[in-house]
Amino acid sequence: QVQLVESGGGLVQPGGSLRLSCAASGFTLDYYAIGWFRQAPGKEREGISCISSHDGSTYYADSVKGRFTISRDNAKNTVYLQMNSLKPEDTAVYYCALGVGYYTGTYLPEASIFDYWGQGTQVTVSS
């Protein structure tokens, strides 16, 4: 059974940094993608980044490009989201998700493409 567990959320001041982790378990796949999404109160879920399992290709939403970095450690089956220069508008629940299949890294897949989701971790950016 595929399981995704996010961690690393918390309260941070504007301009600060956090690193989220997404630990994946319960599967053996050659090709898959891990995406990060977020959802703020009263807003729709937003895709922010994605990484492929086989070659590490990445894609970022414009809202986080240059501030967030997604990376992976395949040996640990863990994907990270390093978030720098955080803004109050980054406040949201952050989710990671796994989508089975070959991902090219040339676009940001919609949430409906992903097969498995974590429970989410709260990120609050406030002074």
Side-chain angles (χ1 to χ4, degrees):
Q1 181 178 355
V2 177
Q3 192 171 21
L4 302 173
V5 180
E6 302 98 334
S7 61
L11 173 64
V12 63
Q13 292 187 342
S17 298
L18 281 175
R19 188 178 80 157
L20 305 184
S21 299
C22 173
S25 62
F27 66 94
T28 303
L29 296 168
D30 291 330
Y31 299 106
Y32 61 92
I34 297 285
W36 282 99
F37 294 78
R38 65 186 181 186
Q39 188 164 20
K43 295 189 176 181
E44 293 186 355
R45 187 169 296 189
E46 174 191 15
I48 57 176
S49 188
C50 194
I51 188 167
S52 73
S53 63
H54 63 282
D55 66 359
S57 296
T58 60
Y59 197 90
Y60 298 92
D62 289 342
S63 59
V64 305
K65 197 175 297 182
R67 299 188 299 124
F68 291 10
T69 302
I70 191 170
S71 61
R72 78 195 199 284
D73 183 336
N74 282 355
K76 296 182 179 180
N77 270 358
T78 299
V79 170
Y80 304 97
L81 186 69
Q82 178 67 43
M83 306 187 296
N84 298 330
S85 302
L86 283 162
K87 306 174 183 180
E89 51 263 44
D90 294 317
T91 295
V93 178
Y94 283 69
Y95 301 88
C96 66
L98 185 151
V100 178
Y102 189 89
Y103 174 61
T104 62
T106 57
Y107 65 102
L108 199 59
E110 295 182 356
S112 60
I113 298 297
F114 291 85
D115 305 282
Y116 304 96
W117 290 79
Q119 81 290 348
T121 185
Q122 175 71 46
V123 171
T124 303
V125 185
S126 175
S127 55

